[in-house]
Amino acid sequence: MKDILTIAMPKGRIFEEAADMLRKAGYQLPPEFDESRKLILDVPNEKIRFILAKPMDVVTYVEHGVADVGIAGKDVMLEEERDVYEVLDLKISECYLAVAGLPDTKINDVAPKIATKYPKVASSYFREQGEQVEIIKLNGSIELAPLIGLAERIVDIVSTGRTLKENGLVELEQICHITSRLIVNPVSYRMKDEPIDELVERLSKVIGG
Ligand code: PRP
């Protein structure tokens, strides 16, 4: 595997944009790449192996060195604080982290409940604001929590704003802007510097237009 570059790709909404970007960078990815349910996809002509993982797990594969590089949202990077290099802002999958809730929610509690997939980010945000809160970790469909009384507010990703709107929630505060990043395992960065530098260079050109 020494001369094969393993790239961890996030399944789901980032995947399409990331694959599109790799194609624009000149990597020949087969058409079935986008439709496949396979979790390991080899592209021998490019000497690349792709592994498809949940967005939160991409960084784990890269940190453990089973993937040399990966594509991960800044939200995941902030939450996971792992030992990987973040080498490039790909400027795709733009969105932001925000605090949201039902309009006119009265907060009587000393420590209101905040539901989120991002407990670390949410804790440090409210600490900085000097607010005492109780964090409730969920794994998805975060917008459900205020609707059924699990939490007063949520901290979650807002992209188009549709999920908030369709569930009658309003955005209360913006926390930070998010884009996808190219991340690299520190050992791979030394051992496979050539293909990694080339990948960074080719993707940089696409970003630069
Ligand atoms: C994300 C996020 C919001 C939604 C925001 O969820 O957690 O729920 O997208 O997008 P929008 O502003 O365009 O509506 P995702 O679909 O990734 O699934 P999840 O609920 O399982 O986290």
Side-chain angles (χ1 to χ4, degrees):
M1 295 301 286
K2 207 184 160 300
D3 58 343
I4 300 283
L5 193 68
T6 301
I7 304 182
M9 294 277 279
K11 287 203 284 186
R13 60 176 71 202
I14 308 177
F15 180 86
E16 215 173 293
E17 277 187 83
D20 186 47
M21 197 166 186
L22 286 164
R23 287 198 174 100
K24 283 187 183 140
Y27 292 95
Q28 304 291 319
L29 309 183
E32 63 270 22
F33 189 71
D34 309 60
E35 309 297 323
S36 176
R37 290 244 163 189
K38 280 192 177 171
L39 300 173
I40 299 176
L41 288 157
D42 287 318
V43 187
N45 293 348
E46 298 288 4
K47 294 192 174 163
I48 293 179
R49 160 170 280 192
F50 289 96
I51 60 170
L52 272 65
K54 284 275 182 196
M56 287 271 187
D57 295 334
V58 164
V59 66
T60 303
Y61 286 99
V62 175
E63 185 183 41
H64 286 265
V66 289
D68 302 304
V69 307
I71 292 176
K74 184 68 185 174
D75 52 331
V76 174
M77 300 302 291
L78 290 171
E79 183 63 27
E80 297 291 326
E81 294 175 347
R82 300 297 189 86
D83 188 13
V84 297
Y85 296 152
E86 190 185 308
V87 294
L88 196 60
D89 181 351
L90 298 172
K91 305 213 166 94
I92 55 169
S93 307
E94 286 199 75
C95 54
Y96 56 93
L97 272 171
V99 183
L102 283 165
D104 309 321
T105 306
K106 294 220 167 37
I107 308 227
N108 300 319
D109 238 321
V110 213
K113 296 188 184 75
I114 312 291
T116 187
K117 215 161 38 174
Y118 305 94
K120 276 192 209 154
V121 176
S123 303
S124 70
Y125 174 74
F126 286 107
R127 203 178 312 116
E128 275 164 27
Q129 305 294 307
E131 274 188 72
Q132 205 189 331
V133 296
E134 182 188 335
I135 304 288
I136 300 178
K137 164 85 163 63
L138 291 176
N139 294 306
S141 302
I142 313 298
E143 291 81 358
L144 193 55
L147 304 180
I148 55 159
L150 178 66
E152 280 86 5
R153 287 181 276 170
I154 61 168
V155 166
D156 201 17
I157 291 288
V158 180
S159 175
T160 61
R162 258 190 79 186
T163 312
L164 288 183
K165 196 159 176 245
E166 290 189 15
N167 290 290
L169 300 174
V170 289
E171 187 183 304
L172 302 168
E173 293 147 50
Q174 291 197 2
I175 300 180
C176 61
H177 182 244
I178 305 286
T179 49
S180 296
R181 311 296 163 107
L182 187 73
I183 59 171
V184 181
N185 172 277
V187 176
S188 300
Y189 210 22
R190 286 201 308 273
M191 309 291 284
K192 298 187 181 178
D193 56 325
E194 259 180 54
I196 293 174
D197 284 345
E198 191 183 331
L199 176 67
V200 171
E201 200 176 303
R202 284 162 76 169
L203 289 172
S204 303
K205 278 193 190 134
V206 178
I207 299 163

